[in-house]
């Protein structure tokens, strides 16, 4: 299987912007992390992932860590420690074969429940973004749905072009902001100087550990399952994703990167908009790498070019694609029951949804054996 770089791969490359941009903007604008380190590491590992897997295997921010970091008084060093701990944890889990034991106790309805819950959460988040500009969102949604099954027109590229036009019309300062974009070469620098024990403890216990159930349910189990549905000719094992995440997070924080993972939502987004090979990830990785190296000081301005309502439509479409992948659950009422319980709790928190699904699964199994 070869990586390709046609229009479909270019369109799919931008499919996960609805997740990537808000978190990266939050890390830069709220936490104060250097844009160069974030973008360069995302770029490098997106390229490596595309070469390694040869499919649109996504590279995303770890969402629980990102949300907590942006909402609270967190330092860049705490985020760096969270990344290092996460990297060590997933590398050990992947190399020791522990995931084989986990997979044995996790059934298909539970995994489909996580997928369904994530799909709906993406759709709800997308609707929230769309409310910030109803007219732009409606027009973008009409464009997206009109081209949803088109194999000739790259949907995402059309949406991005529409977004730029919409920004130029609705933002009176558009040209003034564009004129401030400047080119200047910069490299990432060592980012973990002056660590304190408080930062180490906060990074591990407040940021990294609460992320583990979410990563297990979404980044490992759900993503592996969905990947192998979409690309049966190139199957992967759960350990492949864990080892990949481990290596990325053991290295990225050293030069200012943030905790990264794979994700079924990102995979759905890339494939929904045309990505079929690792060329998708090489394209977006190269763009992020160039932005980090040459446009670090202007990256917020560049990201703001795409209106939030358009990002909402992109996120909604990705969530729709993700939720649709749960349709093969079958007609067994007990399986459907487990899936819905898992999905419902996953709307609140994927880690909690994973635990709730396990409990429901065991209750159903107990009733079947005792009855």
């Amino acid at each position: 299987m070869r990586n390709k770089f046609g229009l479909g791969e270019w369109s799919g490359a931008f499919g996960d912007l609805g997740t990537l941009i808000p978190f990266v903007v939050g890390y830069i604008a709220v936490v104060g992390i250097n844009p160069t380190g974030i973008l360069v590491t995302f770029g490098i590992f997106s390229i490596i992932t595309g070469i390694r897997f040869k499919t649109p295997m996504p590279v995303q921010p770890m969402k629980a860590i990102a949300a907590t970091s942006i909402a609270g008084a967190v330092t860049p060093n705490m985020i760096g420690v969270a990344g290092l701990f996460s990297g060590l944890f997933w590398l050990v889990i992947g190399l020791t074969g522990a995931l084989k034991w986990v997979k044995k106790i996790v059934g298909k309805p539970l995994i489909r429940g996580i997928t369904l819950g994530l799909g709906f959460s993406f759709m709800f988040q997308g609707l929230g973004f769309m409310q910030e500009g109803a007219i732009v969102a409606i027009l973008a949604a009409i464009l997206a749905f009109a081209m949803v099954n088109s194999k000739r027109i790259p949907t995402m590229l059309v949406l991005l072009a529409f977004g730029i036009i919409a920004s130029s019309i609705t933002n009176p300062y558009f040209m003034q902001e564009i004129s401030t974009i400047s080119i200047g070469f910069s490299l990432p620098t060592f980012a973990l100087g002056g660590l304190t024990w408080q930062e180490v403890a906060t990074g591990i216990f407040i940021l990294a550990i609460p992320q583990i159930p979410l990563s297990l349910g979404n980044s490992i189990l759900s993503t592996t399952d969905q990947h192998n549905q979409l690309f049966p000719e190139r199957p992967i094992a759960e350990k492949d994703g864990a080892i990949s995440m481990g290596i990325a997070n053991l290295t990225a924080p050293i030069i200012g990167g943030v905790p990264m993972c794979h994700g079924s939502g990102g995979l759905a987004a890339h494939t929904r908009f045309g990505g079929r090979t690792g060329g998708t990830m090489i394209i977006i990785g190269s763009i992020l790498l160039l932005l980090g190296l040459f446009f670090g000081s202007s990256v917020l301005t560049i990201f703001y070019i795409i209106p939030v309502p358009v990002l909402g439509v992109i996120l909604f479409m990705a969530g729709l694609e993700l939720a649709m992948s749960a349709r093969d659950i079958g007609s067994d009422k007990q399986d459907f029951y487990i899936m819905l319980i898992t999905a419902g709790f996953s709307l609140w928190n994927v880690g909690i949804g994973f635990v709730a699904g396990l409990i429901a699964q065991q209750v159903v199994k107990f009733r079947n054996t005792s009855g």
Side-chain angles (χ1 to χ4, degrees):
M1 186 173 179
R2 293 182 179 181
N3 286 330
K4 299 179 181 179
F5 301 92
L7 279 179
E9 306 300 329
W10 276 88
S11 179
F14 299 97
D16 202 24
L17 292 184
T19 299
L20 179 70
I21 289 179
F23 283 122
V24 170
V25 167
Y27 270 130
I28 296 169
V30 178
V31 184
I33 295 179
N34 188 325
T36 298
I38 296 179
L39 295 175
V40 166
T41 51
F42 266 113
I44 289 172
F45 287 106
S46 293
I47 293 170
I48 292 172
T49 298
I51 294 171
R52 162 69 179 85
F53 292 100
K54 293 185 171 60
T55 59
M57 188 71 158
V59 177
Q60 301 179 309
M62 284 189 172
K63 296 172 187 62
I65 292 176
T68 304
S69 300
I70 294 168
V74 171
T75 67
N77 273 352
M78 293 174 185
I79 296 168
V81 170
L84 291 174
F85 180 86
S86 299
L88 180 62
F89 178 86
W90 289 113
L91 188 61
V92 170
I93 292 296
L95 292 175
T96 57
L99 287 169
K100 290 182 179 179
W101 175 81
V102 173
K103 189 178 179 181
K104 287 180 180 179
I105 65 171
V106 176
K108 179 179 176 180
L110 196 159
I111 296 175
R112 291 294 182 274
I114 292 172
T115 302
L116 183 63
L118 281 169
F120 276 114
S121 69
F122 273 41
M123 293 167 72
F124 291 147
Q125 188 178 355
L127 288 170
F129 285 178
M130 291 160 69
Q131 290 176 6
E132 296 194 22
I135 295 176
V136 172
I138 290 170
L139 292 175
I142 291 171
L143 272 176
F145 282 104
M147 298 182 296
V148 69
N149 292 318
S150 174
K151 295 183 179 179
R152 300 179 62 183
I153 302 174
T155 308
M156 178 55 67
L157 300 184
V158 174
L159 279 176
L160 292 178
F162 170 78
I164 294 171
I165 294 170
S167 283
S168 67
I169 295 172
T170 59
N171 181 3
Y173 304 103
F174 180 78
M175 294 308 298
Q176 181 180 340
E177 291 170 357
I178 292 297
S179 66
T180 64
I181 296 175
S182 59
I183 301 176
F185 181 76
S186 60
L187 288 171
T189 57
F190 179 71
L192 292 173
L195 266 177
T196 65
W197 284 112
Q198 180 184 358
E199 288 176 324
V200 172
T202 301
I204 293 174
F205 294 104
I206 304 300
L207 298 179
I209 291 178
Q211 171 72 45
I212 290 172
L214 171 58
S215 293
L216 176 62
N218 177 28
S219 303
I220 303 299
L221 298 176
S222 181
T223 301
T224 302
D225 181 78
Q226 188 193 16
H227 179 281
N228 293 343
Q229 284 188 72
L230 291 168
F231 304 101
E233 74 282 4
R234 189 166 177 79
I236 62 173
E238 286 76 10
K239 69 174 184 178
D240 296 326
I243 292 171
S244 172
M245 285 165 49
I247 293 171
N249 287 301
L250 276 175
T251 53
I254 297 172
I255 56 172
V258 297
M260 294 180 283
C261 64
H262 303 301
S264 53
L267 184 58
H270 289 308
T271 54
R272 168 71 276 175
F273 291 103
R276 294 294 179 270
T277 76
T280 291
M281 298 311 302
I282 295 172
I283 290 167
I284 190 61
S286 299
I287 292 171
L288 293 175
L289 181 60
L290 290 174
L291 283 176
L293 292 175
F294 295 99
F295 295 92
S297 62
S298 303
V299 71
L300 291 181
T301 302
I302 293 171
F303 281 168
Y304 285 142
I305 290 175
I306 309 300
V308 170
V310 175
L311 292 177
V313 172
I314 295 170
L315 201 55
F316 184 90
M317 295 291 289
L320 182 62
E321 182 74 10
L322 188 58
M324 286 290 289
S325 67
R327 66 187 182 276
D328 67 343
I329 189 62
S331 58
D332 186 279
K333 288 180 65 175
Q334 293 180 338
D335 287 350
F336 205 71
Y337 174 81
I338 295 169
M339 182 183 75
L340 290 180
I341 288 177
T342 307
F345 279 97
S346 293
L347 284 171
W348 174 20
N349 179 282
V350 173
I352 294 173
F354 178 76
V355 174
L358 274 179
I359 294 172
Q361 181 179 274
Q362 296 308 310
V363 169
V364 168
K365 186 181 295 184
F366 175 78
R367 288 177 60 185
N368 288 341
T369 55
S370 62

